[in-house]
Amino acid sequence: MRVLGLETSCDETGIALYDSERGLLGHRVYSQIQVHAEYGGVVPELASRDHIRKAKPLIQEVLDDAGLTLEQVDGIAFTSGPGLVGALLVGACLGNSLAWALNIPAIGVHHMEGHLLAPMLEDEQPDFPFIALLVSGGHTQLVKVEGIGRYELLGESLDDAAGEAFDKAAKMMNLPYPGGPALSALADQGDAQRFAFPRPMTDRPGLDFSFSGLKTFTRTTILNCAVDGVLAEQDKIDIAAGFQAAVVDTLAIKCKRAMQQTGVQRLIIAGGVGANRQLRAKLQTTAEALGGRVYYPRPELCTDNGAMIAYAGTQRLLAGQHSELAVSVVPRWPM
Ligand code: KG4
Ligand code: ZN
């Protein structure tokens, strides 16, 4: 079965073609970063318009790369939530219209299920069950994955998501949008020990997270270091390093705890923050110290993409599920 995947939940237009026999046939991601950069964050209306502009040509490019035509597609998967409602509607309208015109099934996919299953797009796939650390701009969750559609939430952030915390801390340091990758690049050169950033909620039992305290600590540290409102470059680098180390350590401590509590030795990382090099390295040593293994998608499949939606949709279509050809999306949708 060949499935066309459409991801339009936020500020990336992701299009992919997945074949249940041959794997990923191709994918393209168009990032709207330039469109939103001057506003310092995603402007929903501009996001919707850009998805409309880009989705169709990208579908053509993916089909051309694979040497296929639309008539050779057997199903359509689109992100139906959570996300920005206008942006989601673009993918849902396009997906349903294509399915109707081609007389093939369509399926709405949960964006986070896509992230969760992204490691399945790699050559080395984890067996079930595995523990998934989902770390994106909107979510920080630890999930026990028993199989497709069988997800148990073990813990989540009670306030900011890890990516959101990265983005907010970066904004305080006047780093360019999106802040996560910019802060991380700076942090890799700094002294993470210079400022005593806390490891929130690690001194009590449980698998929930809280990142808003790190934000406050960052703000206070910036205020203490700045002279006449200006932060010296070395201070900025060391604050970034301290912040990143605190997020990475906190995530690693909770992953270790989740693996120990469940006895599950396979850990996967998914979501945009999963592209963070320090986090990947730390989780690798954490899992190996427990005799386990960590699996992660290549960085381009950690951030938003159509391939993960095509994959998740394929599994659901193969299981006989499909959506009604009516356009409905779910901007807020617990998994
Ligand atoms: O999964 P994603 O692409 O979109 C959402 O569904 O949210 O994640 C985006 C988030 C942003 O907060 C971004 O700053 C963060 O992932 N991010 C990173 C890195 N690359 C992306 N955070 C830290 N280090 C990175 N290298
Ligand atoms: Zn995402």
Side-chain angles (χ1 to χ4, degrees):
M1 173 179 255
R2 281 192 207 109
V3 175
L4 183 69
L6 315 174
E7 154 61 34
T8 66
S9 67
C10 190
D11 59 347
E12 260 106 27
T13 316
I15 308 290
L17 203 50
Y18 183 82
D19 185 317
S20 56
E21 304 287 311
R22 292 167 54 206
L24 188 61
L25 300 181
H27 88 114
R28 293 280 176 114
V29 178
Y30 163 73
S31 169
Q32 304 177 349
I33 281 177
Q34 299 304 335
V35 176
H36 305 291
E38 65 175 294
Y39 303 96
V42 180
V43 183
E45 177 61 22
L46 296 183
S48 312
R49 292 185 204 177
D50 228 22
H51 286 309
I52 293 174
R53 220 162 48 80
K54 278 289 174 186
K56 232 180 105 219
L58 282 180
I59 291 175
Q60 197 55 55
E61 283 176 31
V62 168
L63 287 168
D64 290 347
D65 287 351
L68 295 169
T69 63
L70 260 185
E71 287 68 30
Q72 291 170 293
V73 172
D74 305 307
I76 310 279
F78 59 89
T79 305
S80 51
L84 302 170
V85 67
L88 288 167
L89 281 168
V90 175
C93 287
L94 186 57
N96 279 306
S97 312
L98 282 172
W100 182 78
L102 297 165
N103 197 24
I104 56 176
I107 181 107
V109 171
H110 194 293
H111 180 80
M112 298 312 287
E113 179 176 47
H115 276 306
L116 204 65
L117 297 178
M120 298 308 211
L121 290 159
E122 300 299 353
D123 291 340
E124 276 196 279
Q125 307 170 356
D127 290 330
F128 296 117
F130 57 78
I131 300 296
L133 173 69
L134 291 178
V135 270
S136 72
H139 293 81
T140 300
Q141 296 182 329
L142 271 166
V143 181
K144 183 177 174 193
V145 179
E146 306 258 14
I148 307 282
R150 292 168 60 208
Y151 311 123
E152 182 192 344
L153 183 65
L154 302 173
E156 64 185 334
S157 178
L158 304 177
D159 41 57
D160 291 352
E164 188 181 358
F166 262 99
D167 294 340
K168 287 178 177 170
K171 207 166 187 172
M172 290 177 213
M173 292 181 227
N174 294 322
L175 295 174
Y177 167 87
L183 190 152
S184 161
L186 209 60
D188 289 346
Q189 312 156 41
D191 173 7
Q193 312 293 327
R194 183 171 153 206
F195 301 104
F197 276 80
R199 276 39 177 172
M201 291 182 71
T202 54
D203 54 356
R204 57 182 117 152
L207 294 169
D208 287 333
F209 304 90
S210 164
F211 291 108
S212 66
L214 281 183
K215 211 171 49 186
T216 312
F217 190 92
T218 306
R219 186 177 299 115
T220 314
T221 311
I222 291 173
L223 287 174
N224 288 342
C225 289
V227 179
D228 295 332
V230 180
L231 198 57
E233 197 54 24
Q234 193 58 49
D235 292 343
K236 196 190 261 192
I237 292 171
D238 291 340
I239 293 171
F243 174 87
Q244 174 171 267
V247 176
V248 166
D249 278 355
T250 305
L251 292 172
I253 289 166
K254 295 291 164 97
C255 284
K256 179 178 175 185
R257 207 176 274 175
M259 290 171 81
Q260 285 172 326
Q261 277 183 20
T262 57
V264 173
Q265 300 223 309
R266 287 170 293 274
L267 174 70
I268 70 120
I269 318 173
V273 185
N276 186 281
R277 280 194 314 115
Q278 300 259 354
L279 178 64
R280 292 163 88 96
K282 180 84 183 187
L283 291 182
Q284 177 144 0
T285 48
T286 303
E288 282 170 3
L290 293 174
R293 245 200 88 174
V294 62
Y295 299 78
Y296 24 58
R298 67 199 96 149
E300 76 193 62
L301 297 181
C302 277
T303 45
D304 289 351
N305 65 85
M308 65 186 196
I309 302 303
Y311 178 84
T314 303
Q315 305 313 312
R316 290 196 170 266
L317 288 169
L318 285 174
Q321 301 175 18
H322 65 89
S323 308
E324 295 308 318
L325 290 187
V327 178
S328 77
V329 293
V330 195
R332 288 177 170 273
W333 186 9
M335 194 160 62

